[in-house]
Coordinates of all heavy atoms in Angstrom, one line a residue:
M1 N -70.7 31.0 -9.4 CA -69.6 31.8 -9.9 C -69.7 33.2 -9.5 O -70.8 33.8 -9.8 CB -69.5 31.5 -11.4 CG -68.0 31.7 -11.9 SD -68.0 31.5 -13.7 CE -68.9 32.9 -14.3
S2 N -68.7 33.9 -9.1 CA -68.8 35.3 -8.8 C -68.6 36.2 -10.0 O -68.0 35.8 -11.0 CB -67.8 35.7 -7.7 OG -66.5 35.6 -8.2
T3 N -69.2 37.4 -9.9 CA -69.1 38.3 -11.1 C -67.9 39.1 -10.9 O -67.6 39.7 -10.0 CB -70.4 39.2 -10.9 OG1 -71.6 38.4 -10.8 CG2 -70.5 40.1 -12.2
S4 N -67.1 39.2 -12.2 CA -65.9 39.9 -12.2 C -66.2 41.3 -12.8 O -66.9 41.4 -13.8 CB -64.9 39.2 -13.1 OG -64.1 40.1 -13.7
F5 N -65.7 42.4 -12.2 CA -65.9 43.7 -12.7 C -65.2 43.8 -14.1 O -65.9 44.2 -15.0 CB -65.3 44.8 -11.7 CG -65.5 46.2 -12.3 CD1 -66.8 46.6 -12.2 CD2 -64.6 46.9 -12.9 CE1 -67.1 47.9 -12.7 CE2 -64.8 48.1 -13.5 CZ -66.1 48.6 -13.3
A6 N -64.0 43.4 -14.2 CA -63.2 43.5 -15.5 C -63.9 42.7 -16.6 O -64.1 43.2 -17.7 CB -61.8 43.2 -15.3
K7 N -64.3 41.5 -16.3 CA -64.8 40.6 -17.3 C -66.2 40.8 -17.6 O -66.7 40.7 -18.8 CB -64.6 39.1 -16.9 CG -63.2 38.7 -17.1 CD -63.1 37.2 -17.2 CE -61.8 36.6 -17.0 NZ -61.7 35.7 -15.8
D8 N -67.0 41.0 -16.6 CA -68.5 41.0 -16.8 C -69.1 42.4 -16.8 O -70.2 42.6 -17.5 CB -69.2 40.2 -15.7 CG -68.7 38.8 -15.5 OD1 -68.4 38.2 -16.6 OD2 -68.3 38.4 -14.4
I9 N -68.6 43.4 -16.0 CA -69.3 44.6 -15.9 C -68.7 45.7 -16.7 O -69.5 46.3 -17.5 CB -69.3 45.0 -14.4 CG1 -69.8 43.9 -13.4 CG2 -70.0 46.4 -14.2 CD1 -71.3 43.6 -13.7
A10 N -67.4 45.9 -16.7 CA -66.9 46.9 -17.5 C -67.3 47.0 -19.0 O -67.6 48.0 -19.5 CB -65.4 47.0 -17.3
P11 N -67.4 45.7 -19.5 CA -67.7 45.7 -21.0 C -69.1 46.1 -21.3 O -69.5 46.2 -22.4 CB -67.4 44.2 -21.4 CG -66.5 43.6 -20.4 CD -66.9 44.3 -19.1
L12 N -69.9 46.1 -20.3 CA -71.4 46.6 -20.5 C -71.5 48.0 -21.0 O -72.5 48.4 -21.6 CB -72.2 46.3 -19.3 CG -72.4 44.9 -18.8 CD1 -73.1 44.8 -17.5 CD2 -73.2 44.1 -19.8
F13 N -70.4 48.7 -20.6 CA -70.4 50.2 -20.9 C -69.9 50.4 -22.3 O -68.8 49.9 -22.6 CB -69.7 51.0 -19.8 CG -70.3 50.8 -18.4 CD1 -69.7 50.1 -17.5 CD2 -71.5 51.5 -18.1 CE1 -70.3 49.9 -16.2 CE2 -72.1 51.4 -16.9 CZ -71.5 50.5 -15.9
T14 N -70.4 51.2 -23.1 CA -69.9 51.5 -24.4 C -68.9 52.6 -24.3 O -68.7 53.3 -23.4 CB -71.0 52.0 -25.4 OG1 -71.5 53.3 -24.8 CG2 -72.2 51.0 -25.4
D15 N -68.0 52.7 -25.4 CA -67.0 53.8 -25.4 C -67.7 55.1 -25.3 O -67.1 56.0 -24.7 CB -66.2 53.7 -26.7 CG -65.3 52.5 -26.8 OD1 -65.1 51.8 -25.8 OD2 -64.8 52.2 -27.9
R16 N -68.9 55.3 -25.8 CA -69.6 56.5 -25.7 C -70.0 56.8 -24.3 O -69.9 58.0 -23.8 CB -70.8 56.5 -26.6 CG -71.6 57.7 -26.7 CD -72.5 57.7 -28.0 NE -73.1 59.0 -28.0 CZ -74.4 59.1 -27.5 NH1 -75.0 58.2 -26.9 NH2 -75.0 60.3 -27.5
D17 N -70.5 55.8 -23.6 CA -70.8 56.0 -22.2 C -69.6 56.5 -21.4 O -69.7 57.4 -20.6 CB -71.3 54.6 -21.6 CG -72.6 54.0 -22.1 OD1 -73.4 54.9 -22.8 OD2 -72.7 52.8 -22.1
V18 N -68.5 55.7 -21.6 CA -67.3 56.1 -20.9 C -66.8 57.4 -21.2 O -66.4 58.3 -20.3 CB -66.2 55.0 -21.2 CG1 -64.9 55.4 -20.7 CG2 -66.6 53.6 -20.7
H19 N -66.9 57.9 -22.4 CA -66.5 59.2 -22.9 C -67.3 60.2 -22.3 O -66.8 61.2 -21.8 CB -66.4 59.2 -24.4 CG -65.9 60.5 -24.9 ND1 -64.6 60.9 -25.0 CD2 -66.6 61.6 -25.4 CE1 -64.5 62.1 -25.4 NE2 -65.7 62.6 -25.7
C20 N -68.6 60.1 -22.4 CA -69.6 61.1 -21.9 C -69.4 61.3 -20.4 O -69.3 62.5 -19.9 CB -71.0 60.8 -22.1 SG -71.8 61.3 -23.7
M21 N -69.4 60.2 -19.8 CA -69.5 60.3 -18.2 C -68.1 60.6 -17.6 O -68.0 61.2 -16.6 CB -70.0 59.0 -17.7 CG -71.5 58.8 -18.0 SD -72.5 60.2 -17.9 CE -72.2 60.7 -16.2
G22 N -67.0 60.2 -18.4 CA -65.7 60.5 -17.9 C -65.5 62.0 -17.7 O -64.9 62.5 -16.7
G23 N -66.1 62.8 -18.6 CA -66.0 64.3 -18.6 C -66.7 64.8 -17.4 O -66.5 65.9 -16.9
A24 N -67.7 64.0 -16.9 CA -68.4 64.4 -15.6 C -67.8 63.8 -14.4 O -68.4 63.9 -13.3 CB -69.9 64.1 -15.9
G25 N -66.7 63.1 -14.5 CA -66.1 62.5 -13.3 C -66.7 61.2 -12.9 O -66.4 60.8 -11.8
V26 N -67.5 60.6 -13.8 CA -68.1 59.3 -13.4 C -67.3 58.3 -14.3 O -67.5 58.3 -15.5 CB -69.6 59.3 -13.8 CG1 -70.1 57.9 -13.6 CG2 -70.3 60.3 -12.9
H27 N -66.5 57.5 -13.7 CA -65.5 56.6 -14.4 C -66.1 55.1 -14.5 O -65.8 54.3 -13.6 CB -64.2 56.7 -13.8 CG -63.7 58.1 -13.7 ND1 -63.3 58.8 -14.9 CD2 -63.5 59.0 -12.7 CE1 -63.0 60.0 -14.6 NE2 -63.1 60.1 -13.2
L28 N -67.0 54.9 -15.4 CA -67.8 53.7 -15.5 C -67.0 52.4 -15.6 O -67.4 51.4 -15.1 CB -68.7 53.8 -16.7 CG -69.8 54.9 -16.5 CD1 -70.5 55.0 -17.9 CD2 -70.7 54.7 -15.4
R29 N -65.8 52.5 -16.2 CA -65.0 51.2 -16.4 C -63.9 51.2 -15.4 O -63.0 50.1 -15.5 CB -64.5 51.1 -17.8 CG -65.5 50.6 -18.8 CD -64.9 50.1 -20.1 NE -65.7 50.1 -21.3 CZ -65.4 50.7 -22.4 NH1 -64.3 51.3 -22.6 NH2 -66.3 50.7 -23.4
E30 N -63.8 52.0 -14.4 CA -62.7 51.9 -13.4 C -63.2 51.4 -12.1 O -64.0 52.0 -11.4 CB -62.1 53.3 -13.2 CG -61.3 53.8 -14.4 CD -60.8 55.2 -14.3 OE1 -60.7 55.7 -13.1 OE2 -60.5 55.9 -15.3
Y31 N -62.6 50.2 -11.8 CA -63.0 49.5 -10.6 C -62.9 50.4 -9.3 O -63.8 50.5 -8.5 CB -62.1 48.2 -10.4 CG -62.4 47.5 -9.1 CD1 -63.5 46.6 -9.2 CD2 -61.8 47.8 -8.0 CE1 -63.8 45.9 -8.0 CE2 -62.1 47.1 -6.8 CZ -63.1 46.2 -6.8 OH -63.4 45.5 -5.7
D32 N -61.8 51.2 -9.2 CA -61.5 52.0 -8.1 C -62.6 53.1 -7.9 O -62.9 53.4 -6.7 CB -60.2 52.6 -8.0 CG -59.1 51.6 -7.8 OD1 -59.4 50.4 -7.4 OD2 -57.9 51.9 -8.0
Y33 N -63.1 53.5 -8.9 CA -64.2 54.5 -8.9 C -65.5 53.8 -8.5 O -66.2 54.2 -7.6 CB -64.4 55.3 -10.3 CG -65.6 56.2 -10.2 CD1 -65.5 57.5 -9.7 CD2 -66.8 55.7 -10.7 CE1 -66.6 58.3 -9.7 CE2 -68.0 56.5 -10.6 CZ -67.9 57.8 -10.0 OH -68.9 58.6 -10.0
M34 N -65.8 52.7 -9.3 CA -67.1 52.1 -9.1 C -67.3 51.4 -7.7 O -68.4 51.3 -7.2 CB -67.3 51.1 -10.2 CG -67.4 51.7 -11.6 SD -68.9 52.6 -11.9 CE -70.0 51.2 -12.3
A35 N -66.1 50.9 -7.2 CA -66.2 50.2 -5.9 C -65.8 51.1 -4.7 O -65.6 50.6 -3.6 CB -65.4 48.9 -5.9
N36 N -65.7 52.4 -4.9 CA -65.3 53.3 -3.9 C -66.3 53.3 -2.8 O -67.5 53.4 -3.0 CB -65.2 54.7 -4.5 CG -64.7 55.7 -3.5 OD1 -65.0 55.6 -2.3 ND2 -64.2 56.7 -4.0
P37 N -65.9 53.0 -1.5 CA -66.8 52.8 -0.4 C -67.5 54.2 0.1 O -68.4 54.1 0.9 CB -66.1 52.1 0.7 CG -64.6 52.5 0.4 CD -64.6 52.7 -1.1
E38 N -67.0 55.2 -0.3 CA -67.5 56.5 0.2 C -68.9 56.8 -0.1 O -69.4 56.4 -1.2 CB -66.8 57.7 -0.5 CG -65.6 58.3 0.3 CD -64.9 59.4 -0.4 OE1 -65.6 60.4 -0.7 OE2 -63.7 59.1 -0.7
G39 N -69.6 57.3 0.9 CA -71.0 57.7 0.7 C -71.1 59.2 0.3 O -70.2 59.9 0.2
D40 N -72.4 59.6 0.1 CA -72.6 61.0 -0.1 C -74.0 61.3 0.6 O -74.4 60.7 1.4 CB -72.7 61.4 -1.6 CG -73.8 60.7 -2.3 OD1 -74.7 60.1 -1.7 OD2 -73.8 60.8 -3.6
A41 N -74.6 62.5 0.2 CA -75.8 63.0 0.8 C -76.9 62.1 0.6 O -77.9 62.1 1.4 CB -76.1 64.4 0.4
V42 N -76.9 61.2 -0.5 CA -78.0 60.4 -0.8 C -77.8 59.0 -0.3 O -78.7 58.3 0.3 CB -78.2 60.4 -2.3 CG1 -79.4 59.5 -2.7 CG2 -78.4 61.8 -2.9
F43 N -76.6 58.4 -0.5 CA -76.3 57.0 -0.1 C -75.2 57.0 0.9 O -74.2 57.6 0.7 CB -75.8 56.3 -1.3 CG -76.9 56.0 -2.4 CD1 -76.8 56.7 -3.6 CD2 -77.9 55.2 -2.2 CE1 -77.8 56.6 -4.5 CE2 -79.0 55.0 -3.2 CZ -78.8 55.8 -4.3
P44 N -75.4 56.3 2.0 CA -74.4 56.4 3.2 C -73.1 55.7 2.9 O -72.1 56.1 3.4 CB -75.1 55.6 4.3 CG -76.1 54.8 3.6 CD -76.6 55.5 2.4
D45 N -73.0 54.9 1.9 CA -71.8 54.3 1.4 C -71.9 53.7 -0.1 O -73.0 53.8 -0.6 CB -71.4 53.1 2.4 CG -72.5 52.1 2.5 OD1 -73.4 52.0 1.6 OD2 -72.5 51.3 3.5
Y46 N -70.8 53.6 -0.7 CA -70.8 53.1 -2.1 C -71.6 53.9 -3.0 O -72.4 53.5 -3.8 CB -71.1 51.6 -2.1 CG -70.1 50.8 -1.4 CD1 -70.4 50.4 0.0 CD2 -68.9 50.5 -1.9 CE1 -69.4 49.6 0.7 CE2 -67.9 49.7 -1.2 CZ -68.2 49.3 0.1 OH -67.3 48.6 0.8
A47 N -71.6 55.2 -2.8 CA -72.5 56.1 -3.5 C -72.3 56.0 -5.0 O -73.2 56.1 -5.8 CB -72.3 57.6 -3.0
N48 N -71.0 55.8 -5.5 CA -70.8 55.9 -6.9 C -71.6 54.7 -7.6 O -72.3 54.9 -8.6 CB -69.3 55.8 -7.3 CG -68.5 57.0 -6.8 OD1 -69.1 58.1 -6.6 ND2 -67.2 56.9 -6.9
A49 N -71.5 53.5 -7.1 CA -72.1 52.4 -7.7 C -73.7 52.5 -7.5 O -74.4 52.2 -8.4 CB -71.7 51.1 -7.0
H50 N -74.1 53.0 -6.4 CA -75.6 53.2 -6.2 C -76.1 54.2 -7.1 O -77.2 54.0 -7.7 CB -75.8 53.7 -4.7 CG -75.8 52.6 -3.8 ND1 -76.8 51.6 -3.8 CD2 -75.0 52.3 -2.7 CE1 -76.5 50.7 -2.7 NE2 -75.5 51.2 -2.1
H51 N -75.4 55.3 -7.4 CA -75.9 56.3 -8.4 C -76.0 55.7 -9.8 O -76.8 56.0 -10.5 CB -75.1 57.6 -8.4 CG -75.5 58.5 -7.2 ND1 -76.7 59.1 -6.9 CD2 -74.8 58.9 -6.1 CE1 -76.7 59.7 -5.8 NE2 -75.5 59.7 -5.3
V52 N -74.9 54.9 -10.2 CA -74.9 54.4 -11.5 C -76.1 53.5 -11.6 O -76.8 53.5 -12.6 CB -73.5 53.6 -11.7 CG1 -73.7 52.7 -12.9 CG2 -72.4 54.7 -12.0
L53 N -76.3 52.5 -10.6 CA -77.5 51.7 -10.7 C -78.8 52.4 -10.8 O -79.7 52.1 -11.6 CB -77.5 50.7 -9.4 CG -78.6 49.8 -9.4 CD1 -78.6 48.8 -10.6 CD2 -78.6 49.0 -8.0
A54 N -78.9 53.5 -10.0 CA -80.2 54.3 -10.0 C -80.4 55.0 -11.4 O -81.5 55.0 -11.8 CB -80.1 55.3 -8.9
R55 N -79.3 55.3 -12.0 CA -79.5 56.0 -13.3 C -79.7 54.8 -14.4 O -80.5 55.1 -15.4 CB -78.2 56.7 -13.8 CG -77.8 57.8 -13.0 CD -78.8 59.0 -13.3 NE -78.5 60.2 -12.5 CZ -78.8 61.5 -12.8 NH1 -79.3 61.7 -14.0 NH2 -78.5 62.4 -12.0
L56 N -79.3 53.6 -14.2 CA -79.6 52.6 -15.2 C -81.0 52.2 -15.0 O -81.6 51.8 -16.1 CB -78.6 51.4 -14.9 CG -77.1 51.5 -15.3 CD1 -76.4 50.4 -14.7 CD2 -77.0 51.6 -16.7
K57 N -81.5 52.2 -13.9 CA -82.9 51.8 -13.6 C -83.9 52.9 -13.9 O -85.1 52.7 -13.9 CB -83.1 51.3 -12.2 CG -82.3 50.0 -11.9 CD -82.3 49.6 -10.4 CE -83.3 48.7 -10.1 NZ -83.1 48.1 -8.7
G58 N -83.4 54.1 -13.8 CA -84.3 55.2 -14.0 C -84.9 55.7 -12.7 O -85.8 56.6 -12.6
T59 N -84.5 55.2 -11.5 CA -84.9 55.6 -10.2 C -84.3 57.0 -10.0 O -84.9 57.8 -9.1 CB -84.6 54.7 -9.0 OG1 -83.2 54.4 -9.1 CG2 -85.5 53.4 -9.3
E60 N -83.2 57.4 -10.5 CA -82.7 58.8 -10.6 C -82.8 59.2 -12.0 O -82.5 58.4 -13.0 CB -81.3 58.9 -10.1 CG -81.2 58.8 -8.5 CD -79.8 58.9 -7.9 OE1 -78.8 58.9 -8.6 OE2 -79.8 58.9 -6.7
T61 N -83.3 60.4 -12.3 CA -83.4 60.8 -13.7 C -82.5 62.0 -14.0 O -82.1 62.8 -13.2 CB -84.9 61.3 -13.8 OG1 -85.2 62.2 -12.8 CG2 -85.9 60.1 -13.7
P62 N -82.2 62.2 -15.4 CA -82.6 61.4 -16.4 C -82.0 60.0 -16.5 O -80.9 59.8 -16.0 CB -82.2 62.2 -17.7 CG -81.0 63.1 -17.2 CD -81.3 63.3 -15.7
R63 N -82.8 59.0 -16.9 CA -82.3 57.6 -17.0 C -81.1 57.6 -17.9 O -81.1 58.3 -18.9 CB -83.3 56.7 -17.4 CG -83.0 55.3 -17.3 CD -84.1 54.3 -17.7 NE -83.8 53.0 -17.5 CZ -84.6 51.8 -17.7 NH1 -85.8 52.1 -18.1 NH2 -84.1 50.7 -17.5
M64 N -80.1 56.7 -17.7 CA -78.9 56.6 -18.5 C -79.0 55.3 -19.2 O -79.4 54.3 -18.6 CB -77.7 56.8 -17.6 CG -77.4 58.1 -17.0 SD -76.9 59.3 -18.3 CE -77.8 60.7 -17.9
P65 N -78.4 55.1 -20.4 CA -77.9 56.2 -21.3 C -79.0 57.1 -21.7 O -80.1 56.6 -21.9 CB -77.2 55.5 -22.4 CG -77.8 54.2 -22.4 CD -78.2 53.8 -21.0
P66 N -78.7 58.5 -21.9 CA -79.8 59.4 -22.2 C -80.4 59.2 -23.7 O -81.5 59.7 -23.9 CB -79.2 60.7 -22.1 CG -77.7 60.5 -22.1 CD -77.4 59.1 -21.8
S67 N -79.7 58.5 -24.5 CA -80.3 58.2 -25.8 C -79.9 56.7 -26.1 O -79.0 56.1 -25.5 CB -79.8 59.1 -26.9 OG -78.4 59.0 -27.0
G68 N -80.7 56.0 -27.0 CA -80.4 54.6 -27.3 C -81.2 53.8 -26.3 O -81.9 54.3 -25.4
A69 N -81.0 52.5 -26.4 CA -81.7 51.6 -25.6 C -81.4 51.6 -24.1 O -80.1 51.6 -23.8 CB -81.6 50.2 -26.1
P70 N -82.2 51.5 -23.2 CA -81.8 51.4 -21.8 C -81.4 49.9 -21.6 O -81.6 49.1 -22.5 CB -83.2 51.6 -21.0 CG -84.3 51.5 -22.0 CD -83.7 51.7 -23.4
W71 N -80.6 49.7 -20.6 CA -80.1 48.3 -20.3 C -81.4 47.4 -20.1 O -82.3 47.8 -19.6 CB -79.3 48.4 -19.0 CG -77.8 48.8 -19.2 CD1 -77.3 49.6 -20.2 CD2 -76.7 48.5 -18.5 NE1 -76.0 49.8 -20.1 CE2 -75.6 49.1 -19.0 CE3 -76.6 47.8 -17.3 CZ2 -74.3 49.1 -18.5 CZ3 -75.3 47.6 -16.6 CH2 -74.3 48.4 -17.2
N72 N -81.2 46.1 -20.6 CA -82.2 45.2 -20.3 C -82.2 44.6 -18.8 O -81.2 44.8 -18.2 CB -82.3 44.2 -21.4 CG -81.0 43.3 -21.4 OD1 -80.6 42.9 -20.3 ND2 -80.5 42.9 -22.6
G73 N -83.2 43.9 -18.5 CA -83.3 43.3 -17.2 C -82.1 42.4 -16.9 O -81.7 42.5 -15.7
D74 N -81.6 41.7 -17.8 CA -80.5 40.8 -17.5 C -79.2 41.5 -17.2 O -78.4 41.2 -16.3 CB -80.2 39.8 -18.7 CG -81.2 38.8 -18.9 OD1 -82.1 38.6 -18.0 OD2 -81.1 38.2 -19.9
Q75 N -79.0 42.6 -18.0 CA -77.8 43.5 -17.7 C -77.9 44.1 -16.4 O -76.9 44.2 -15.6 CB -77.7 44.5 -18.8 CG -77.4 43.9 -20.2 CD -77.5 45.0 -21.3 OE1 -78.5 45.7 -21.4 NE2 -76.5 45.1 -22.1
I76 N -79.1 44.6 -16.0 CA -79.2 45.3 -14.7 C -79.0 44.3 -13.6 O -78.4 44.6 -12.6 CB -80.5 46.1 -14.7 CG1 -80.5 47.3 -15.6 CG2 -80.9 46.6 -13.2 CD1 -81.7 48.1 -15.7
A77 N -79.6 43.1 -13.8 CA -79.5 42.1 -12.7 C -78.0 41.7 -12.6 O -77.6 41.4 -11.4 CB -80.3 40.8 -13.2
L78 N -77.3 41.7 -13.7 CA -75.9 41.3 -13.6 C -75.1 42.4 -12.7 O -74.2 42.1 -11.9 CB -75.2 41.2 -15.0 CG -73.8 40.7 -15.1 CD1 -73.7 39.3 -14.5 CD2 -73.4 40.7 -16.5
F79 N -75.4 43.7 -13.0 CA -74.8 44.7 -12.3 C -75.1 44.6 -10.8 O -74.3 44.8 -9.9 CB -75.2 46.1 -12.9 CG -74.5 47.3 -12.4 CD1 -73.2 47.7 -12.9 CD2 -74.9 48.0 -11.2 CE1 -72.5 48.7 -12.3 CE2 -74.2 49.1 -10.7 CZ -73.0 49.4 -11.2
E80 N -76.4 44.3 -10.6 CA -76.9 44.2 -9.2 C -76.2 43.1 -8.5 O -75.9 43.2 -7.3 CB -78.3 44.1 -9.1 CG -79.0 45.4 -9.2 CD -80.6 45.3 -9.1 OE1 -81.1 44.4 -9.8 OE2 -81.2 46.2 -8.5
S81 N -76.0 42.0 -9.1 CA -75.4 40.8 -8.5 C -73.9 41.1 -8.2 O -73.3 40.7 -7.2 CB -75.5 39.6 -9.3 OG -74.5 39.4 -10.3
W82 N -73.2 41.9 -9.1 CA -71.9 42.4 -8.8 C -71.8 43.2 -7.6 O -71.0 43.0 -6.7 CB -71.3 43.1 -10.0 CG -69.9 43.7 -9.7 CD1 -68.7 43.1 -9.5 CD2 -69.7 45.1 -9.4 NE1 -67.8 44.1 -9.2 CE2 -68.3 45.3 -9.2 CE3 -70.5 46.2 -9.5 CZ2 -67.7 46.6 -8.9 CZ3 -69.9 47.6 -9.3 CH2 -68.5 47.6 -9.0
M83 N -72.7 44.1 -7.5 CA -72.8 45.0 -6.3 C -73.1 44.2 -5.0 O -72.5 44.4 -4.0 CB -73.9 46.1 -6.4 CG -73.4 47.2 -7.3 SD -74.8 48.5 -7.5 CE -74.9 49.2 -5.8
S84 N -74.1 43.2 -5.0 CA -74.5 42.6 -3.9 C -73.3 41.7 -3.3 O -73.3 41.3 -2.2 CB -75.8 41.9 -4.1 OG -75.5 40.8 -5.0
A85 N -72.4 41.4 -4.2 CA -71.3 40.5 -3.8 C -70.4 41.2 -2.7 O -69.7 40.6 -1.9 CB -70.4 40.1 -4.9
W86 N -70.4 42.5 -2.7 CA -69.5 43.2 -1.8 C -70.1 44.3 -1.0 O -69.5 44.9 -0.1 CB -68.3 43.8 -2.6 CG -68.5 44.5 -3.8 CD1 -68.6 44.0 -5.1 CD2 -69.0 45.9 -4.0 NE1 -69.0 45.0 -6.0 CE2 -69.2 46.1 -5.3 CE3 -69.2 46.9 -3.1 CZ2 -69.6 47.3 -5.8 CZ3 -69.6 48.2 -3.5 CH2 -69.9 48.4 -4.9
L87 N -71.4 44.5 -1.2 CA -72.1 45.6 -0.5 C -72.3 45.1 1.0 O -72.6 43.9 1.2 CB -73.5 45.9 -1.0 CG -73.6 46.8 -2.1 CD1 -75.0 47.1 -2.5 CD2 -73.0 48.2 -1.7
P88 N -72.1 46.0 2.0 CA -72.2 45.5 3.3 C -73.7 45.3 3.7 O -74.6 45.8 3.0 CB -71.7 46.8 4.2 CG -71.6 47.9 3.2 CD -71.6 47.4 1.8
Ligands
LIG101 C1 -74.9 53.2 -19.2 C2 -74.3 54.5 -19.4 C3 -74.3 55.6 -18.5 C4 -74.4 55.6 -17.1 C5 -74.4 54.4 -16.1 C6 -74.4 57.0 -16.7 C7 -74.5 57.4 -15.3 C8 -74.7 58.7 -14.9 C9 -74.6 59.1 -13.5 C10 -74.4 58.3 -12.3 C11 -75.0 60.5 -13.6 C12 -75.1 61.5 -12.4 C13 -73.8 62.1 -12.2 C14 -73.8 63.1 -11.1 O1 -74.8 63.3 -10.4 O2 -72.7 63.7 -10.8 C15 -75.1 60.8 -15.0 C16 -75.5 62.1 -15.5 C17 -75.4 62.6 -16.8 N1 -75.0 61.8 -17.9 FE1 -74.7 59.7 -17.8 N2 -74.4 57.8 -17.8 C18 -74.4 56.9 -18.9 C19 -74.3 57.3 -20.2 C20 -74.3 58.7 -20.7 C21 -74.1 59.1 -22.1 C22 -73.8 58.1 -23.3 C23 -74.2 60.5 -22.1 C24 -74.0 61.4 -23.2 C25 -74.6 61.3 -24.3 C26 -74.4 60.8 -20.7 C27 -74.6 62.2 -20.3 C28 -75.0 62.6 -19.0 C29 -75.4 63.9 -18.6 C30 -75.6 65.1 -19.6 C31 -75.6 63.9 -17.3 C32 -76.2 65.1 -16.3 C33 -77.7 64.9 -16.3 C34 -78.3 65.6 -15.1 O3 -78.3 65.0 -14.1 O4 -78.8 66.7 -15.3 N3 -74.5 59.8 -19.9 N4 -74.9 59.8 -15.8

């Protein structure tokens, strides 16, 4: 079964996550933002999703969310499986 952004991924983000990051232009529950194919200086494509994943895993710091529990392995694996479904 494929992973749905609206059903499986968007609800992983709390209202606080969405509020904090929306102010910084990171729209965690918006498909068009998260699946944007544009790259940047760090990732050649799909930079928005790659940066979100890197912050969730702590490979880019500070790890997100900055307070409270980090995502568990199952949540991160679900996010990665959603990404791998459409990543080139
Ligand atoms: C799962 C939840 C979250 C994710 C995936 C996330 C994702 C990100 C990403 C991708 C960036 C880098 C933005 C950029 O470089 O332009 C970032 C930075 C930041 N986020 Fe979050 N965020 C989350 C939750 C939060 C919350 C709840 C807060 C507020 C309490 C917050 C505050 C910040 C701040 C202050 C920065 C700038 C930190 C820095 O790089 O110096 N984030 N976040």
Side-chain angles (χ1 to χ4, degrees):
M1 205 180 72
S2 68
T3 308
S4 149
F5 182 77
K7 281 207 198 113
D8 304 318
I9 303 300
L12 296 173
F13 299 107
T14 66
D15 289 346
R16 183 159 181 267
D17 297 335
V18 170
H19 181 79
C20 268
M21 294 315 304
V26 176
H27 304 292
L28 297 168
R29 285 199 199 127
E30 290 179 21
Y31 179 85
D32 288 349
Y33 175 85
M34 296 290 279
N36 184 332
E38 258 176 68
D40 66 7
V42 180
F43 296 104
D45 52 24
Y46 298 95
N48 292 345
H50 279 294
H51 282 295
V52 167
L53 178 63
R55 293 285 178 156
L56 290 170
K57 293 171 99 167
T59 51
E60 286 183 353
T61 56
R63 189 174 184 178
M64 294 283 139
S67 55
W71 279 22
N72 66 39
D74 287 349
Q75 292 170 308
I76 292 177
L78 187 61
F79 189 87
E80 282 181 311
S81 86
W82 171 70
M83 279 179 69
S84 67
W86 46 265
L87 275 184

